[in-house]
Amino acid sequence: MTAEQDPPHFRPDTLAVRAGMSRTPFDEMAEPIFLTQGYIYPTAAEAEAAFAGEIDRYQYSRYGNPTVTVFQDRLAAIEGAEQCFATATGMAAVFVSMASILSQGSRLVAGRALFGSSITVFNEYFAKWGIVVDYVDAHVNSDWERALATPADAIYVESPSNPMQDVIDIPFVSALAKQAGALFIVDNVFATPIGQKPLELGADAVVYSATKHIDGQGRVLGGAVLGGAEYIEKVRTMVRTMGATISPFNAWILAKSLETLPVRVKAQSASALELAHWLDIHPKVAVTRYPLLASHPQYALAARQMTLGGTLVTIDIALPPGTDPHGAVAKAAAFRFMDALEVFDISNNLGDAKSIVTHPATTTHRRLGADGRAAVGMCEATVRLSVGLEDIEDLREDLARGLAAI
Ligand SMILES: *Cc1c(COP(=O)(O)O)cnc(C)c1O
């Protein structure tokens, strides 16, 4: 198999289609899938040399696989990262991005508004293993100044956050991270590799659930960690030992998905922005949260560090005066809206070609509890919309239908 050169001057949309391409002597058009558990050695001496680390070659698919390499190299090229390591799921990437560098007594500082399973990993496992976890309101810069006045080993944030769309000042946190001696990791799932480049903004590492926009067609689970060579080597060593390796088939789906990621995300983001403008002035919507909406509290920051606002729009349904936003009436209003939709599917996925609607309080953010949800500004009337590739007029009519049903 011959790997082709990826001239560094190519732009991300070209790299998305072509980077990491390698062909076998059959000169196939598409990337082949190597569905193989392992590899054979022509001689006993070559097996010995491979195991001694004297030669670099594929040994076993838990360690590496040519199809997985294509996905990793392509994503690294789009992101502008030195290296990428793919994992079985996004959660495996989240876990290993920190578990590979933290140990008993380490200190992790994390944004408070995170994907639910990430919080469970921190509170139920990292805490048990003697890792100190401190949370901050990640969109409040003074909170970071206070938290990072003492040394830390890792910093972990989502920007924009799920589902409240808080935008974190990545260059600002990056400068404090360096002073505190911490590795700064950004979960870039919401923004996507097309809409925001955390490494260029000063982060040390980026984490993805490839299950979301990267597949974008609801087929497979996958994840990735990107960063410098020395750090990714630690990630690689841990994954190949603990076994959260991605399957070659899933890596193939994801490598092919990267080819259309830029066009999908740009089209979905354009529709999301237009729908956000429309929802923002709709009388049955109390609040519309979208990073590139002028009414977003951190609009200027979002416009500085994001090239696209993303595919997600978060709204609070308007409630009659005096209604408890955390009560049953608020929940019923959100459910009536969701159940009346005909195009948007009710699911907890996001970033798909199919538009999706989610009620975070009863699904993805259920385990936060009412107090935890209130702390990040979420209530029973909060609904998250993942805008897909359907005709925008069908989506607008669908949302109008839902709002009319309240
Ligand atoms: C979905 C998601 C994850 C976890 O990814 P899986 O592929 O489901 O394991 C992590 N972070 C964010 C922001 C997500 O949306």
Side-chain angles (χ1 to χ4, degrees), residues 19-339:
M21 184 67 200
S22 56
R23 290 192 165 94
T24 73
F26 295 120
D27 289 331
E28 62 282 348
M29 177 71 211
E31 297 73 0
I33 315 180
F34 290 90
L35 284 178
T36 181
Q37 142 280 326
Y39 310 85
I40 57 166
Y41 308 91
T43 62
E46 183 158 337
E48 182 186 25
F51 275 80
E54 289 158 8
I55 53 166
D56 185 21
R57 54 155 291 161
Y58 292 109
Q59 288 169 267
Y60 188 46
S61 283
R62 176 152 51 78
Y63 298 179
N65 174 286
T67 312
V68 174
T69 302
V70 174
F71 170 54
Q72 291 174 163
D73 289 354
R74 190 164 288 173
L75 183 55
I78 299 170
E79 192 75 40
E82 215 166 275
Q83 285 196 20
C84 168
F85 193 78
T87 53
T89 64
M91 278 319 299
V94 170
F95 177 80
V96 80
S97 74
M98 285 166 279
S100 61
I101 55 163
L102 300 177
S103 51
Q104 190 175 16
S106 297
R107 177 166 180 255
L108 165 67
V109 181
R112 202 181 304 284
L114 294 179
F115 186 68
S117 298
S118 302
I119 296 174
T120 307
V121 165
F122 299 169
N123 292 352
E124 289 179 24
Y125 295 95
F126 285 3
K128 187 169 74 177
W129 298 334
I131 295 166
V132 178
V133 186
D134 291 324
Y135 291 100
V136 299
D137 287 325
H139 59 295
V140 181
N141 284 356
S142 57
D143 239 36
W144 285 110
E145 282 168 344
R146 190 156 7 94
L148 295 178
T150 29
D153 299 283
I155 294 170
Y156 189 86
V157 300
E158 285 175 26
S159 185
S161 68
N162 175 18
M164 300 313 288
Q165 309 268 9
D166 295 330
V167 178
I168 286 89
D169 190 335
I170 296 174
F172 180 83
V173 177
S174 158
L176 291 177
K178 286 188 178 66
Q179 284 169 27
L183 188 101
F184 180 21
I185 306 162
V186 176
D187 179 329
N188 204 38
V189 165
F190 255 48
T192 84
I194 310 305
Q196 176 171 270
K197 296 268 191 288
L199 299 177
E200 280 175 17
L201 295 165
D204 300 302
V206 174
V207 164
Y208 287 109
S209 166
T211 315
K212 310 294 166 53
H213 300 85
I214 293 178
D215 176 5
Q217 290 143 91
R219 299 166 296 187
V220 299
L221 301 176
V225 186
L226 298 105
E230 204 181 311
Y231 167 65
I232 294 299
E233 189 52 37
K234 291 178 188 160
V235 169
R236 175 184 295 116
T237 304
M238 185 173 201
V239 174
R240 58 183 259 174
T241 311
M242 53 82 108
T245 311
I246 192 168
S247 96
F249 179 76
N250 288 8
W252 180 80
I253 294 276
L254 296 169
K256 298 301 285 175
S257 302
L258 286 176
E259 296 179 359
T260 57
L261 180 71
V263 280
R264 283 187 285 113
V265 169
K266 285 176 201 170
Q268 289 172 248
S269 298
S271 293
L273 176 62
E274 199 175 324
L275 291 174
H277 277 297
W278 180 78
L279 289 161
D280 200 29
I281 52 168
H282 196 288
K284 290 206 174 171
V285 177
V287 192
T288 302
R289 294 181 190 83
Y290 187 75
L292 293 189
L293 210 54
S295 60
H296 190 287
Q298 298 153 291
Y299 170 71
L301 171 62
R304 253 196 331 271
Q305 68 182 23
M306 300 176 74
T307 50
L308 295 170
T311 67
L312 292 126
V313 183
T314 308
I315 57 170
D316 283 2
I317 306 286
L319 301 168
T323 311
D324 174 12
H326 300 284
V329 173
K331 176 175 150 182
F335 278 21
R336 265 196 302 277
F337 166 71
M338 292 171 66
D339 290 342

